Amino acid sequence: MARYDRAITVFSPDGHLFQVEYALEAVRKGNAAVGVRGTDIVVLGVEKKSTAKLQDSRSVRKIVNLDDHIALACAGLKADARILINRARIECQSHRLTVEDPVTVEYITRYIAGLQQKYTQSGGVRPFGLSTLIVGFDPYSSVPSLYQTDPSGTFSAWKANATGRNSNSIREFLEKNYKETSGQETIKLAIRALLEVVESGGKNIEVAVMTKEHGLRQLDEAEIDAIAAEIEAEKEAAEAAKKAPPKET
C-alpha cells in the first residue's frame, strides 16, 4: 500500500485512491454537522468545540452564507473550508453579474463538487479535507433544498443528512425519526439529532435556520437551550410513561 499513497494521481491495484480516502478520514474526525429539510424551512446544525476563555466565540463560525439565499456548513479542515467558501462566494457574485439572476442551489453545489473533484486528479495538490452540507432556496421556488458534497467530488440531494464525527449514528437517528415537518418541528428534529452525539447539551451546538422570506438566521444560545430543555423534558416524560404500571381495565 505504501507505494500507492504517495501521489494523488496513482490508483492502487484494487482501485483505491488512498489520498481521497485519507481526506474522508479527516472528515470523519471533524465536528458533526446535520442538515434537515422541512416543507418551508431548512435547518443546519453543527457541533461547536468549546472555545478558549479569552477567545471571541463570534469569530469561530461553522455555518456561513454563500449568497442571500444559500448557506453552507462543513465538517473537516476549517482552513480548507475557508478557501472553498471564498471561491463559491465569488462564483455566486460572478453568476449574478453575468446572468443577472442568483444561482440555484444545485448550480453552486455542482460548482463546489467540481472544484473538489479537480483536486483529486491533478499532480502536486491534495484533496480538500472537508465535506459540505449546502442548503437554500432556488430563486423562483419556495421549496427548500439540501445537498451534500464530499472530498471525492460526489454530490447528492437529501431530505436530511449528517457528516463528520459520528455521522452514521446521526443518520440512523434521522432515518428512524424523519417526517415532513415545518417550522419549529424541523428545528427540533435537527437539534435532537445533534444531541444524540454532542455532550453537555445546547451550549456546544450552533444552529441556523433558513426561510424563503428571511434568509439565514443564526439561533442564539438562549433559543437553543430552550429547545434542548424542551427535548429533554419530552424524553423524561416518555421514559416515565414507559415505567408507569399499565392501567387496569
Side-chain angles (χ1 to χ4, degrees):
M1 187 187 89
R3 289 177 298 161
Y4 299 102
D5 66 354
R6 304 276 171 86
I8 185 64
T9 52
V10 180
F11 280 97
S12 70
D14 53 352
H16 290 274
L17 280 172
F18 285 114
Q19 290 296 326
V20 175
E21 292 184 13
Y22 299 159
L24 285 162
E25 192 57 40
V27 169
R28 283 191 280 271
K29 286 185 163 60
N31 57 280
V34 64
V36 180
R37 195 184 82 191
T39 53
D40 59 349
I41 189 174
V42 63
V43 183
L44 284 174
V46 294
E47 175 187 7
K48 194 167 65 173
K49 295 275 185 348
S50 53
T51 52
K53 196 173 180 183
L54 300 177
Q55 188 178 10
D56 185 351
S57 60
R58 290 171 303 174
S59 64
V60 187
R61 285 280 177 216
K62 293 179 179 171
I63 301 172
V64 296
N65 260 336
L66 297 182
D67 204 341
D68 296 335
H69 61 299
I70 296 177
L72 175 147
C74 60
L77 301 177
K78 292 297 163 291
D80 286 14
R82 195 175 66 244
I83 300 301
L84 205 58
I85 288 161
N86 286 344
R87 295 279 289 274
R89 283 172 169 168
I90 290 166
E91 181 62 24
C92 287
Q93 297 311 309
S94 172
H95 188 280
R96 270 181 194 267
L97 282 168
T98 311
V99 186
E100 295 186 0
D101 252 340
V103 295
T104 62
V105 185
E106 186 183 347
Y107 175 90
I108 201 63
T109 302
R110 196 181 290 274
Y111 174 81
I112 289 170
L115 202 55
Q116 287 178 295
Q117 193 280 333
K118 194 167 86 173
Y119 278 74
T120 68
Q121 217 173 351
S122 311
V125 297
R126 65 164 175 78
F128 285 95
L130 78 152
S131 174
T132 66
L133 293 173
I134 301 160
V135 301
F137 289 83
D138 286 343
Y140 304 108
S141 165
S142 57
V143 179
S145 301
L146 167 64
Y147 287 87
Q148 185 201 8
T149 74
D150 69 26
S152 68
T154 308
F155 75 93
S156 48
W158 295 78
K159 291 177 181 174
N161 196 14
T163 186
R165 189 175 70 85
N166 292 328
S167 57
N168 288 340
S169 307
I170 300 175
R171 207 173 291 120
E172 279 170 23
F173 173 85
L174 288 168
E175 282 168 7
K176 285 179 194 165
N177 295 282
Y178 180 81
K179 295 186 194 103
E180 285 278 347
T181 55
S182 61
Q184 196 71 6
E185 288 303 309
T186 311
I187 300 170
K188 199 186 279 188
L189 177 61
I191 293 175
R192 275 176 66 204
L194 269 178
L195 288 174
E196 289 291 301
V197 298
V198 176
E199 290 163 14
S200 68
K203 69 176 182 181
N204 281 355
I205 291 174
E206 187 180 324
V207 179
V209 177
M210 181 171 273
T211 57
K212 180 75 176 174
E213 299 78 28
H214 303 110
L216 190 72
R217 182 176 77 86
Q218 300 264 2
L219 299 191
D220 57 39
E221 272 187 40
E223 286 178 275
I224 297 169
D225 285 340
I227 296 167
E230 199 179 317
I231 291 164
E232 201 57 45
E234 282 173 14
K235 263 190 196 171
E236 284 170 11
E239 280 173 21
K242 276 183 195 170
K243 287 176 186 172
K247 290 180 183 175
E248 291 179 15
T249 52

